[in-house]
Coordinates of all heavy atoms in Angstrom, one line a residue:
R822 N -11.8 72.6 -182.8 CA -10.3 72.3 -182.8 C -10.0 70.9 -183.3 O -8.9 70.7 -183.8 CB -9.8 72.5 -181.4 CG -9.8 73.9 -180.9 CD -9.6 74.0 -179.4 NE -8.3 73.6 -179.0 CZ -8.0 73.3 -177.7 NH1 -8.9 73.5 -176.7 NH2 -6.8 73.0 -177.4
L823 N -10.9 70.0 -183.2 CA -10.6 68.6 -183.6 C -10.9 68.3 -185.0 O -10.1 67.6 -185.6 CB -11.4 67.6 -182.7 CG -11.3 66.2 -183.0 CD1 -9.8 65.7 -182.7 CD2 -12.3 65.4 -182.1
C824 N -11.9 68.8 -185.6 CA -12.5 68.3 -186.9 C -11.9 69.0 -188.1 O -11.6 70.2 -188.1 CB -14.0 68.5 -186.9 SG -14.9 67.7 -185.6
H825 N -11.7 68.2 -189.2 CA -11.2 68.7 -190.4 C -12.5 69.4 -191.1 O -12.3 70.5 -191.8 CB -10.7 67.7 -191.3 CG -9.5 67.0 -190.7 ND1 -9.4 65.7 -190.3 CD2 -8.3 67.5 -190.4 CE1 -8.3 65.3 -189.9 NE2 -7.5 66.4 -189.8
R826 N -13.7 68.7 -191.1 CA -14.8 69.2 -191.7 C -16.0 69.1 -190.6 O -15.9 68.2 -189.8 CB -15.2 68.6 -192.9 CG -14.3 68.9 -194.1 CD -14.8 68.1 -195.4 NE -14.7 66.7 -195.3 CZ -15.8 65.9 -195.4 NH1 -17.0 66.4 -195.6 NH2 -15.6 64.6 -195.3
I827 N -17.0 69.8 -190.9 CA -18.2 69.7 -190.0 C -19.5 69.7 -190.8 O -19.7 70.5 -191.7 CB -18.2 70.9 -189.0 CG1 -17.1 71.0 -188.1 CG2 -19.6 70.8 -188.1 CD1 -16.9 72.2 -187.2
H828 N -20.4 68.8 -190.4 CA -21.6 68.6 -191.2 C -22.7 69.0 -190.2 O -22.6 68.5 -189.0 CB -21.9 67.1 -191.6 CG -23.0 66.9 -192.6 ND1 -22.8 66.8 -193.9 CD2 -24.3 66.8 -192.4 CE1 -23.9 66.6 -194.5 NE2 -24.9 66.7 -193.6
V829 N -23.7 69.8 -190.7 CA -24.7 70.3 -189.7 C -26.0 69.9 -190.1 O -26.5 70.0 -191.3 CB -24.6 71.9 -189.7 CG1 -25.5 72.4 -188.6 CG2 -23.2 72.4 -189.6
L830 N -26.8 69.4 -189.1 CA -28.2 69.0 -189.3 C -29.1 69.9 -188.5 O -28.8 70.4 -187.5 CB -28.5 67.5 -188.8 CG -27.6 66.4 -189.4 CD1 -28.0 65.0 -188.7 CD2 -27.9 66.3 -190.9
N831 N -30.3 70.1 -189.1 CA -31.4 70.8 -188.4 C -32.7 70.2 -188.9 O -33.0 70.1 -190.1 CB -31.3 72.3 -188.8 CG -32.2 73.1 -187.8 OD1 -32.4 72.8 -186.7 ND2 -32.8 74.1 -188.3
Y832 N -33.5 69.8 -187.9 CA -34.8 69.1 -188.2 C -34.6 68.0 -189.2 O -35.5 67.7 -190.1 CB -35.8 70.1 -188.8 CG -36.2 71.2 -187.8 CD1 -35.9 72.5 -187.9 CD2 -37.0 70.8 -186.6 CE1 -36.2 73.5 -187.0 CE2 -37.4 71.8 -185.8 CZ -37.0 73.1 -185.9 OH -37.5 74.1 -185.0
G833 N -33.6 67.2 -189.1 CA -33.3 66.1 -189.9 C -32.8 66.3 -191.2 O -32.6 65.4 -192.0
N834 N -32.5 67.5 -191.6 CA -31.9 68.0 -192.9 C -30.5 68.5 -192.8 O -30.2 69.1 -191.8 CB -32.9 69.1 -193.6 CG -34.3 68.6 -193.8 OD1 -34.5 67.9 -194.8 ND2 -35.2 69.0 -193.0
S835 N -29.7 68.3 -193.8 CA -28.4 68.8 -193.9 C -28.6 70.3 -194.2 O -29.2 70.6 -195.2 CB -27.6 68.1 -194.9 OG -27.3 66.8 -194.6
I836 N -27.9 71.2 -193.5 CA -28.0 72.7 -193.8 C -26.7 73.2 -194.2 O -26.6 74.3 -194.7 CB -28.8 73.4 -192.7 CG1 -27.9 73.4 -191.4 CG2 -30.1 73.0 -192.5 CD1 -28.4 74.4 -190.4
A837 N -25.6 72.5 -193.9 CA -24.3 73.1 -194.2 C -23.2 72.0 -194.0 O -23.4 71.0 -193.2 CB -23.9 74.2 -193.3
E838 N -22.1 72.1 -194.7 CA -20.9 71.3 -194.5 C -19.7 72.2 -194.9 O -19.7 72.9 -195.9 CB -21.0 70.0 -195.3 CG -19.7 69.1 -195.0 CD -19.8 67.7 -195.6 OE1 -20.6 66.9 -195.3 OE2 -18.8 67.6 -196.5
G839 N -18.7 72.1 -194.1 CA -17.5 72.9 -194.4 C -16.5 72.8 -193.4 O -16.6 72.0 -192.4
T840 N -15.4 73.6 -193.5 CA -14.3 73.6 -192.5 C -14.9 74.3 -191.2 O -15.9 75.0 -191.3 CB -13.1 74.3 -193.0 OG1 -13.6 75.7 -193.2 CG2 -12.6 73.8 -194.4
P841 N -14.2 74.1 -190.1 CA -14.7 74.9 -188.9 C -14.8 76.3 -189.2 O -15.8 77.0 -188.7 CB -13.6 74.5 -187.9 CG -13.1 73.2 -188.3 CD -13.2 73.2 -189.8
A842 N -13.8 76.9 -189.9 CA -13.9 78.4 -190.2 C -15.1 78.7 -191.0 O -15.9 79.8 -190.7 CB -12.6 78.8 -190.9
E843 N -15.5 77.9 -192.0 CA -16.6 78.2 -192.8 C -17.9 78.0 -192.0 O -18.9 78.8 -192.2 CB -16.6 77.2 -194.0 CG -15.6 77.5 -195.0 CD -15.3 76.4 -196.0 OE1 -15.8 75.2 -195.7 OE2 -14.7 76.6 -197.1
I844 N -18.0 77.0 -191.1 CA -19.2 76.8 -190.3 C -19.4 77.9 -189.3 O -20.6 78.3 -189.1 CB -19.1 75.4 -189.6 CG1 -19.1 74.3 -190.7 CG2 -20.2 75.2 -188.6 CD1 -20.3 74.2 -191.5
R845 N -18.3 78.4 -188.8 CA -18.5 79.5 -187.8 C -19.2 80.7 -188.4 O -19.8 81.5 -187.7 CB -17.1 79.9 -187.3 CG -16.6 79.1 -186.2 CD -15.3 79.7 -185.4 NE -14.2 80.0 -186.4 CZ -13.2 79.2 -186.4 NH1 -13.2 78.1 -185.7 NH2 -12.2 79.4 -187.2
E846 N -19.0 80.9 -189.7 CA -19.5 82.1 -190.4 C -20.7 81.8 -191.2 O -21.2 82.8 -191.9 CB -18.4 82.6 -191.3 CG -17.1 83.1 -190.4 CD -15.9 83.5 -191.3 OE1 -16.1 83.4 -192.6 OE2 -14.9 83.9 -190.8
N847 N -21.2 80.6 -191.2 CA -22.3 80.2 -192.1 C -23.7 80.8 -191.4 O -24.0 80.5 -190.4 CB -22.5 78.7 -192.2 CG -23.5 78.3 -193.2 OD1 -24.8 78.5 -192.9 ND2 -23.1 77.8 -194.3
P848 N -24.4 81.7 -192.2 CA -25.5 82.3 -191.6 C -26.7 81.3 -191.2 O -27.2 81.4 -190.1 CB -26.1 83.2 -192.8 CG -24.9 83.4 -193.6 CD -24.0 82.2 -193.6
A849 N -26.8 80.2 -191.9 CA -27.9 79.2 -191.6 C -27.5 78.5 -190.3 O -28.4 78.3 -189.5 CB -28.0 78.2 -192.7
V850 N -26.2 78.2 -190.2 CA -25.8 77.5 -188.9 C -25.9 78.5 -187.7 O -26.3 78.1 -186.7 CB -24.4 77.0 -189.1 CG1 -23.9 76.3 -187.8 CG2 -24.3 76.0 -190.3
L851 N -25.5 79.8 -187.8 CA -25.6 80.6 -186.9 C -27.1 80.8 -186.4 O -27.3 80.9 -185.1 CB -25.0 82.0 -187.3 CG -23.6 82.1 -187.4 CD1 -23.1 83.4 -188.0 CD2 -22.7 81.8 -186.2
E852 N -27.9 80.8 -187.3 CA -29.3 81.0 -187.0 C -29.9 79.8 -186.3 O -30.7 79.8 -185.4 CB -30.1 81.3 -188.3 CG -31.6 81.6 -188.1 CD -31.8 83.0 -187.4 OE1 -30.9 83.9 -187.6 OE2 -32.8 83.1 -186.7
A853 N -29.6 78.6 -186.8 CA -30.1 77.3 -186.3 C -29.5 76.8 -185.0 O -30.2 76.2 -184.2 CB -30.1 76.3 -187.4
Y854 N -28.3 77.1 -184.8 CA -27.6 76.4 -183.8 C -26.6 77.2 -183.0 O -26.7 77.3 -181.8 CB -26.9 75.1 -184.4 CG -26.2 74.3 -183.3 CD1 -26.9 73.8 -182.3 CD2 -24.9 73.9 -183.5 CE1 -26.3 72.9 -181.3 CE2 -24.3 73.1 -182.5 CZ -25.1 72.6 -181.4 OH -24.4 71.9 -180.5
L855 N -25.5 77.8 -183.6 CA -24.5 78.4 -182.9 C -24.8 79.7 -182.3 O -24.3 80.1 -181.2 CB -23.3 78.6 -183.8 CG -22.6 77.3 -184.4 CD1 -21.4 77.7 -185.2 CD2 -22.1 76.4 -183.3
G856 N -25.7 80.4 -182.9 CA -26.1 81.8 -182.4 C -25.2 82.8 -182.9 O -24.0 82.6 -183.1
R857 N -25.7 84.1 -182.8 CA -25.0 85.2 -183.3 C -23.8 85.4 -182.3 O -23.9 85.4 -181.1 CB -25.9 86.4 -183.3 CG -27.0 86.3 -184.3 CD -26.5 86.3 -185.7 NE -27.5 86.0 -186.6 CZ -27.4 85.8 -188.0 NH1 -26.2 85.9 -188.5 NH2 -28.4 85.6 -188.8
G858 N -22.7 85.8 -182.8 CA -21.5 86.0 -182.0 C -20.6 84.8 -181.9 O -19.5 84.8 -181.4
A859 N -21.1 83.6 -182.4 CA -20.3 82.4 -182.4 C -19.1 82.4 -183.1 O -18.1 81.8 -182.9 CB -21.2 81.1 -182.7
E860 N -19.1 83.2 -184.2 CA -18.0 83.3 -185.1 C -16.8 83.9 -184.3 O -15.6 83.7 -184.7 CB -18.3 84.1 -186.4 CG -18.7 85.6 -186.1 CD -20.1 85.8 -186.0 OE1 -20.8 84.9 -185.4 OE2 -20.6 86.8 -186.6
Y861 N -17.0 84.6 -183.3 CA -16.0 85.1 -182.4 C -15.7 84.2 -181.2 O -14.5 84.1 -180.8 CB -16.4 86.5 -181.9 CG -16.8 87.5 -183.0 CD1 -18.1 87.8 -183.1 CD2 -15.8 88.1 -183.8 CE1 -18.5 88.8 -184.1 CE2 -16.2 89.0 -184.8 CZ -17.6 89.3 -185.0 OH -17.9 90.2 -186.0
A862 N -16.7 83.5 -180.8 CA -16.5 82.7 -179.6 C -15.7 81.5 -179.8 O -15.0 81.0 -178.9 CB -17.8 82.3 -179.0

């Protein structure tokens, strides 16, 4: 709700950057961090 953009790290590497809506639906982010179903949560 706060951020204009979100940058995502995993094991020290950048794996994604985008709007909150884009990050919610990014397969690499869902797999590494948010988990399946997060795009709804």
Side-chain angles (χ1 to χ4, degrees):
R822 293 165 64 193
L823 176 63
C824 299
H825 300 117
R826 290 183 295 121
I827 299 171
H828 192 99
V829 189
L830 297 180
N831 192 34
Y832 294 111
N834 296 284
S835 298
I836 63 170
E838 182 175 296
T840 66
E843 291 167 341
I844 293 301
R845 279 195 297 263
E846 298 173 358
N847 186 292
V850 179
L851 293 173
E852 186 69 29
Y854 185 52
L855 295 182
R857 298 296 173 183
E860 61 268 41
Y861 305 108

